[in-house]
Amino acid sequence: MILPKVRDPRFITIRRGGTLTDPDHQLLALWAAACAEHVLHLFESEQPSDPRPREAIEQIRAWARGEIRMSQSRAAGGHAMAAARELSGPARHAAFAAGQAAVVAHVAAHELGAAAYAIKAVRATAPGQEGVSAGRLECRWQREQLPDVIRELVLDDQRLRNDICWSVFDC
């Protein structure tokens, strides 16, 4: 479980009683897509004929552009996570990252799930401390991709949820 028990109103849209604006929600989705896409090769190298994770990333980007409905992106996320369940290691985590990115359209707080699974994917490519170091580099890369408008929001979210996200944000 990588979502908090109590939802943070900063990740709930204004129309649902929170404080998140639509443009910031879209930026969270695009950042999550970038995190997932950065490790997608770890899935595709093991499952080259399975398009589900890539399609999930494409769907969340289409949602952020206003081209599709939330339910379409959420469904694509479910399909990517189904692809993950059949696997283990880096490929599994990369597919979960794509699935988490796609469901940001439904629940903005999944943005951190996409990032955390991407870091787990990178960590799983190498043993021991080497994997931890690779994960820290991935975490730093992700932070470099954050748009200024949502930077503090995401960094604070990482601090608050690091423990339930396998402590991957210690970078």
Side-chain angles (χ1 to χ4, degrees):
M1 168 83 152
I2 54 177
L3 290 175
K5 291 180 181 179
V6 177
R7 290 187 65 193
D8 186 333
R10 298 175 302 166
F11 290 92
I12 300 170
T13 59
I14 292 170
R15 70 184 161 285
R16 300 248 187 249
T19 60
L20 184 65
T21 65
D22 287 342
D24 286 355
H25 191 177
Q26 293 158 347
L27 286 175
L28 288 168
L30 293 172
W31 177 72
C35 292
E37 186 173 54
H38 198 240
V39 299
L40 184 61
H41 68 279
L42 297 171
F43 174 84
E44 291 180 332
S45 66
E46 192 167 315
Q47 297 290 316
S49 63
D50 190 340
R52 293 177 289 179
R54 180 169 295 280
E55 288 171 354
I57 293 167
E58 291 169 1
Q59 291 294 292
I60 191 59
R61 288 185 170 137
W63 173 82
R65 292 188 303 265
E67 297 171 0
I68 65 168
R69 297 176 54 91
M70 172 279 294
S71 58
Q72 292 171 272
S73 186
R74 182 180 64 194
H79 295 307
M81 288 186 258
R85 288 184 200 103
E86 303 163 4
L87 305 170
S88 62
R92 176 183 175 96
H93 301 312
F96 273 133
Q100 288 285 307
V103 298
V104 169
H106 181 246
V107 175
H110 282 294
E111 105 292 355
L112 217 54
Y117 275 111
I119 294 169
K120 278 189 74 156
V122 170
R123 279 184 168 186
T125 63
Q129 192 56 42
E130 191 178 321
V132 172
S133 295
R136 285 189 181 122
L137 288 174
E138 183 67 16
C139 180
R140 289 184 200 124
W141 179 87
Q142 291 176 356
R143 288 179 178 178
E144 290 171 5
Q145 310 314 304
L146 279 167
D148 289 339
V149 175
I150 59 168
R151 182 175 187 73
E152 286 308 312
L153 174 64
V154 172
L155 293 179
D156 190 46
D157 196 25
Q158 288 180 348
R159 283 188 289 274
L160 292 172
R161 290 200 280 157
N162 192 39
D163 288 346
I164 63 172
C165 290
W166 313 287
S167 300
V168 298
F169 299 116
D170 293 333
C171 63

